[in-house]
Amino acid sequence: MKKIDNCENSTVLVALLLAGILLVMGAYRLFSWLCSRGLTDTLTWVLGAAALVLAALGLLLAMQPVTAGAADVKELNLADGYIIIRPNEYVVSGSGLPEPQPAAEKYIISAKGTLDTVYNISIGNSEGAPGIYHVTLKNLHVNCNNGPVLQIYENCTVYLTLEGSSQLNVQNENATAILLHSNSTLNISGGGQLTVNSRGSQVIVGQGDCEINISGEKTAVNVRTAAGSYGRNKQFAIWGSDYPSYDLKVSVTDGAELSAYGGIRCKELKLDDTASLWSQAWADNSDALDCANIEYRSDRGIYLYYYMPIEINMLRSFHVN
């Protein structure tokens, strides 16, 4: 049955559905004929049992297209240990050396209450093997002593769905909260809220050519960096670290919201006329938006407005489309 459950051929699934319907109809006709005979002999009992078998077999076949379309979903608890998701397997490692488990189509990551932990989440292969991952954060509230809380390795595309409200906090002022390696993409959607805080370091860092795309109505991402010790300046909340090009690309579209307390430094920033963006610089000569290219699109003729206090240079863009 495993091969049928994993079948994605629409012709086979339709054939199974039709076969199941025909078997159920045949069983009904046979049962109706037996009732019309009005006899309770051996033939009636035998054919009646055959009708029940046909009906059961028909129902099983008709349900195969439904079970075939069901995704393989694994629910993981961050309190149980480090969550490591690779192309062909996943591991939840709290202590010892747990056996890797076969990869799932989707993962739901949560924890009960507010979790104070050293555990974090890694997605992808450190050797750079490409992969596409579907991960949901479900009301995940974490105070992590180490960082990053979420790490996405090179050549990975992660579709991150927000269910409810999640918060990722990093206590170590030298560690970032979310780290994207080169040529990785983080797509955030789902209509939930994600708050990410870092003490003294950048909140979200993109190394090399990578992307962060936030989309969907009611999808809200709030990132904030705080001042470190010894009078250390506050850092950019979202930062492309590949100096001097800062190749990180950020987009906020389709009704999504992004608030960046600490500012954004990236190569490209893409907005549409449904997005909401708040980027705030700290009063230490940093820029709220330090972007080489800002792209804005409106099919409804809506202009792009921004607010800039005169005493602080908050918007520095070399080219705006």
Side-chain angles (χ1 to χ4, degrees):
M1 295 300 290
K2 186 63 176 178
K3 291 186 180 296
I4 294 178
D5 289 345
N6 291 338
C7 178
E8 296 181 356
N9 190 315
S10 60
T11 303
V12 174
L13 297 180
V14 171
L16 288 173
L17 179 61
L18 291 177
I21 293 174
L22 291 175
L23 286 174
V24 173
M25 291 177 62
Y28 172 76
R29 296 286 294 177
L30 178 58
F31 188 76
S32 298
W33 178 77
L34 291 175
C35 291
S36 67
R37 292 179 71 238
L39 300 176
T40 58
D41 54 9
T42 302
L43 179 62
T44 301
W45 288 108
V46 172
L47 293 179
L52 290 176
V53 172
L54 286 175
L57 182 60
L59 288 173
L60 286 175
L61 286 176
M63 290 177 63
Q64 285 304 314
V66 177
T67 59
D72 179 18
V73 179
K74 297 296 182 184
E75 296 193 19
L76 308 177
N77 189 342
L78 188 58
D80 294 337
Y82 297 96
I83 295 177
I84 305 168
I85 302 174
R86 303 189 183 105
N88 299 315
E89 63 186 18
Y90 74 92
V91 178
V92 180
S93 175
S95 60
L97 297 173
E99 289 291 328
Q101 302 298 315
E105 295 179 28
K106 298 181 180 180
Y107 301 89
I108 299 176
I109 300 176
S110 62
K112 293 183 179 179
T114 299
L115 179 65
D116 294 310
T117 183
V118 297
Y119 299 141
N120 51 30
I121 305 165
S122 296
I123 302 176
N125 191 313
S126 59
E127 298 177 355
I132 298 176
Y133 304 87
H134 297 267
V135 178
T136 296
L137 297 185
K138 183 178 181 181
N139 296 318
L140 179 64
H141 292 257
V142 177
N143 295 322
C144 187
N145 294 325
N146 299 324
V149 182
L150 173 61
Q151 181 169 211
I152 300 173
Y153 281 107
E154 186 176 1
N155 300 321
C156 292
T157 298
V158 176
Y159 291 89
L160 186 67
T161 301
L162 304 179
E163 183 175 334
S165 176
S166 294
Q167 183 166 325
L168 310 180
N169 301 320
V170 173
Q171 306 300 321
N172 187 337
E173 66 179 45
N174 295 313
T176 188
I178 298 178
L179 176 62
L180 284 77
H181 291 262
S182 180
N183 200 33
S184 62
T185 300
L186 175 60
N187 299 312
I188 303 175
S189 62
Q193 292 78 46
L194 174 63
T195 300
V196 190
N197 298 313
S198 182
R199 279 184 73 183
S201 186
Q202 297 85 4
V203 184
I204 301 178
V205 173
Q207 295 180 343
D209 187 8
C210 48
E211 297 183 21
I212 301 173
N213 303 308
I214 306 169
S215 64
E217 291 187 5
K218 297 183 179 180
T219 300
V221 177
N222 185 333
V223 295
R224 180 186 293 269
T225 181
S229 58
Y230 309 110
R232 178 179 176 179
N233 288 339
K234 296 180 179 179
Q235 305 293 313
F236 281 98
I238 299 177
W239 186 55
S241 65
D242 191 23
Y243 179 84
S245 56
Y246 307 115
D247 286 334
L248 174 65
K249 300 175 184 177
V250 179
S251 71
V252 187
T253 58
D254 300 326
E257 301 178 10
L258 171 62
S259 299
Y261 294 90
I264 300 173
R265 170 175 282 177
C266 63
K267 182 178 182 179
E268 295 182 10
L269 175 63
K270 179 181 178 181
L271 307 168
D272 67 9
D273 59 8
T274 66
S276 176
L277 171 68
W278 176 266
S279 186
Q280 176 178 320
W282 306 119
D284 58 359
N285 297 320
S286 296
D287 301 300
L289 291 179
D290 187 352
C291 310
N293 182 42
I294 298 179
E295 178 183 340
Y296 172 74
R297 178 182 178 87
S298 175
D299 295 328
R300 300 179 294 170
I302 298 177
Y303 289 96
L304 172 65
Y305 293 94
Y306 66 87
Y307 169 72
M308 180 179 69
I310 297 175
E311 64 272 18
I312 302 177
N313 177 22
M314 294 193 67
L315 178 64
R316 185 177 69 198
S317 175
F318 303 109
H319 181 68
V320 178
N321 290 330

